[in-house]
Amino acid sequence: MRIQNNARSFLSAAALAVLVGCATTEEPKPAPAPAPAPTPATPAPAAAPAPVAKPAPVPPKPMALRVNSVELFEFDKSRLTRDATDKLDREVVVRLGEFQVIRLINVNGHADRLGSAQYNQKLSERRAEAVRAYLAKQGAPADRIETYGFGKTLQVKSCPDQKNRKALIECLQPNRRVEVEVLGTGRP
């Protein structure tokens, strides 16, 4: 039994030595684990695109139509000739369709220099009124047509006095005119 006791003592001492040895001997610490690689930042889910506002409609641009109509009237007359109505149809009436909104139609009547200032003033007013009536009959907004007579104050052609009156009347023809101006907004 003694051997057994010695063996037990020996084993106990050995176990104690192992324990003491373990307690006093430091084992090398394991290398630190590599830091985890940074994960790429995941972008936040894209927000739904904001609804795109429709571009504001382009407002119609203001426009003016100016027509200087000559050869509308015979000498000393305020009645439109057939050629005059055809010319007004081509130069004014057809072009009214270019407007989305008509704000004003200005009709200015003129006369040549032959005759008194008072007579030519009245004649130019009658000429402007004849064109106004015709445009209204063709569908122009009558409540937006204004007429003015300028008599012989705004001559566009100067002619020397002549003994041949017929030649003078023919020379002054461009002064017997009506100017039409339409103001409004054009179609987009």
Side-chain angles (χ1 to χ4, degrees), residues 26-50:
E26 284 187 40
E27 288 186 28
K29 293 184 181 177
T39 54
T42 55

Side-chain angles (χ1 to χ4, degrees), residues 63-82:
M63 62 183 278
L65 166 64
R66 290 182 182 87
V67 178
N68 183 12
S69 294
V70 295
E71 302 172 10
L72 296 183
F73 303 98
E74 295 174 357
F75 176 69
D76 199 24
K77 304 281 187 228
S78 61
R79 185 179 47 79
L80 290 167
T81 64
R82 178 77 176 138

Side-chain angles (χ1 to χ4, degrees), residues 34-186:
T39 54
T42 55
V52 177
K54 291 181 182 177
V58 176
K61 58 184 174 183
M63 62 183 278
L65 166 64
R66 290 182 182 87
V67 178
N68 183 12
S69 294
V70 295
E71 302 172 10
L72 296 183
F73 303 98
E74 295 174 357
F75 176 69
D76 199 24
K77 304 281 187 228
S78 61
R79 185 179 47 79
L80 290 167
T81 64
R82 178 77 176 138
D83 290 341
T85 58
D86 290 345
K87 189 169 189 170
L88 285 171
D89 287 341
R90 285 189 318 270
E91 295 179 0
V92 180
V93 175
V94 170
R95 302 229 16 228
L96 293 177
E98 297 175 18
F99 290 85
Q100 181 175 359
V101 175
I102 295 176
R103 299 197 192 292
L104 173 69
I105 300 175
N106 192 4
V107 180
N108 299 322
H110 300 273
D112 62 31
R113 65 180 174 86
L114 302 176
S116 71
Q118 291 173 332
Y119 179 81
N120 282 325
Q121 177 63 38
K122 295 290 185 189
L123 180 59
S124 67
E125 290 170 6
R126 289 193 313 269
R127 287 176 174 167
E129 182 57 34
V131 172
R132 185 207 63 76
Y134 182 77
L135 294 177
K137 182 179 174 185
Q138 299 306 312
D143 61 332
R144 293 195 177 100
I145 302 174
E146 295 181 359
T147 61
Y148 300 95
F150 286 90
K152 59 181 182 178
T153 60
L154 299 173
Q155 300 293 290
V156 293
K157 184 165 184 184
S158 179
C159 300
D161 285 333
Q162 303 176 23
K163 289 190 177 195
N164 184 344
R165 184 162 172 85
K166 186 175 180 181
L168 179 59
I169 290 171
E170 187 176 321
C171 179
L172 292 172
Q173 199 286 320
N175 295 320
R176 297 186 293 275
R177 69 194 188 281
V178 170
E179 296 169 348
V180 178
E181 180 179 36
V182 183
L183 301 172
T185 51

